[in-house]
Amino acid sequence: MKKPIVINVENVSFSYGSHEVLKDLNLKVYEGDYIAVIGPNGGGKTTFTKLLLGLLTPTSGEIKIFGKEVIEARQQIGYLPQYINFNMDMPVNVFDIVLQGRLTPKKLFYSHEDKQIAHTQLEKMRISHLKNRKIKELSGGQRQRVLLARALAKQPKILILDEPTASIDPEGQKDIYDLLKALPLTKIIVSHDIQVLFEGVTRVAHINKTLYLHEDIDTSIHRKDGHFCEMELLDYIKSHTCSS
Ligand SMILES: Nc1ncnc2c1ncn2[C@@H]1O[C@H](COP(=O)(O)OP(=O)(O)O)[C@@H](O)[C@H]1O
Ligand SMILES: [Mg+2]
């Protein structure tokens, strides 16, 4: 039996002014899917995530999340944007930042439960020991884990990540992928790093103005002497040629 559809993108196009960036996208995301979004710079990946979050509205077509309008489903989505401008002099510590994930437009105070949830997420991201540190005292990988913990503190059903490992060293990247893999959520990750394809991803969406979905990626082909091999991946993708 097919799993329930969590996100349904139907015939979606988007333009910034007269510049059409996305054209006729279709995608059904099922519960528990882990979708990697790949494609060239400027291909429209970030724009696509912003449409899913309701930060932008399709020029035509429709997106439904849990069968509802995107705006109504927003509370169910945890998001890690591509760029975050941290004010490094912020007087807040790691715990405060994670706690912010509990904020809603109506909530003025944090409850005991909010604090417990924040603690649990810090543990899950294995950064409890950093809870009193300031953001400027952390490495790139540690910062990303703080932001992930904040996104998860919202207890979302869907997690959308836009190039979460772009500024992290390879070892730190592997750690983040391992943490993500273990999260039992519906996940969409934009990444330039094809390593992600071997870290539990179920399907790959290639976006370059249009969207092409690679189903059933075969992750058994990739490791040679413990390394994944880009050439083998390219061969594999070629042999499963895009039909659109
Ligand atoms: N706010 C904006 N206003 C106008 N054009 C934009 C804006 N944001 C992105 N673009 C353009 O839209 C295209 C897709 O950008 P983006 O979605 O950021 O691609 P990607 O994330 O795949 O690199 C690019 O040509 C970019 O210059
Ligand atoms: Mg981008």
Side-chain angles (χ1 to χ4, degrees):
M1 209 175 78
K2 274 231 150 152
K3 294 198 164 167
I5 294 173
V6 172
I7 301 174
N8 195 4
V9 177
E10 277 190 313
N11 308 115
V12 164
S13 299
F14 180 80
S15 305
Y16 290 104
S18 61
H19 177 196
E20 187 173 60
V21 173
L22 295 171
K23 190 176 168 62
D24 208 17
L25 268 52
N26 285 283
L27 178 69
K28 285 181 177 34
V29 180
Y30 297 97
E31 194 179 87
D33 251 346
Y34 186 5
I35 295 185
V37 177
I38 60 171
N41 262 330
K45 304 180 298 297
T46 293
T47 302
F48 179 61
T49 64
K50 288 183 177 171
L51 288 166
L52 296 180
L53 290 156
L55 299 173
L56 297 171
T57 310
T59 314
S60 62
E62 187 178 67
I63 301 176
K64 286 279 168 73
I65 298 184
F66 296 112
K68 295 189 222 161
E69 296 299 324
V70 173
I71 297 287
E72 292 170 51
R74 241 186 203 171
Q75 252 333 95
Q76 317 280 353
I77 306 179
Y79 173 50
L80 216 65
Q82 182 169 6
Y83 300 107
I84 294 190
N85 289 320
F86 268 122
N87 176 355
M88 292 294 182
D89 296 323
M90 266 193 307
V92 293
N93 61 28
V94 164
F95 186 68
D96 297 326
I97 292 171
V98 175
L99 207 48
Q100 285 168 3
R102 299 299 303 157
L103 281 179
T104 65
K106 287 183 197 144
K107 192 183 282 181
L108 296 174
F109 300 102
Y110 296 119
S111 66
H112 179 64
E113 192 197 359
D114 290 332
K115 290 179 187 170
Q116 273 186 333
I117 290 169
H119 273 297
T120 306
Q121 299 313 326
L122 283 169
E123 274 163 29
K124 265 197 201 157
M125 292 298 116
R126 302 198 295 263
I127 47 171
S128 296
H129 59 292
L130 302 174
K131 71 178 174 20
N132 296 320
R133 295 264 199 100
K134 300 279 184 292
I135 203 82
K136 69 178 170 193
E137 298 164 358
L138 305 179
S139 71
Q142 288 170 334
R143 261 176 224 163
Q144 285 304 68
R145 286 198 221 185
V146 172
L147 293 174
L148 251 181
R150 178 172 70 170
L152 292 171
K154 196 173 169 185
Q155 298 189 308
K157 296 204 168 73
I158 303 167
L159 190 60
I160 297 179
L161 310 130
D162 196 352
E163 304 205 26
T165 61
S167 58
I168 306 179
D169 58 83
E171 211 169 295
Q173 290 180 357
K174 175 84 173 90
D175 283 349
I176 298 257
Y177 292 141
D178 285 345
L179 289 168
L180 289 173
K181 197 174 177 176
L183 294 173
L185 294 170
T186 303
K187 290 165 286 194
I188 297 182
I189 181 169
V190 176
S191 186
H192 266 308
D193 173 13
I194 62 167
Q195 176 77 33
V196 72
L197 305 187
F198 311 121
E199 302 296 344
V201 162
T202 51
R203 298 189 291 160
V204 179
H206 181 268
I207 295 185
N208 187 14
K209 192 164 180 180
T210 58
L211 183 154
Y212 180 81
L213 192 66
H214 294 271
E215 308 261 9
D216 306 322
I217 53 164
D218 179 358
T219 50
S220 62
I221 47 144
H222 60 276
R223 282 180 205 278
K224 249 188 190 170
D225 309 327
H227 296 278
F228 72 92
C229 175
E230 297 191 20
M231 290 316 292
E232 285 187 353
L233 178 74
L234 290 174
D235 278 348
Y236 173 77
I237 288 176
K238 252 193 297 178
S239 67
H240 290 69
T241 330
C242 304
S243 55
S244 68

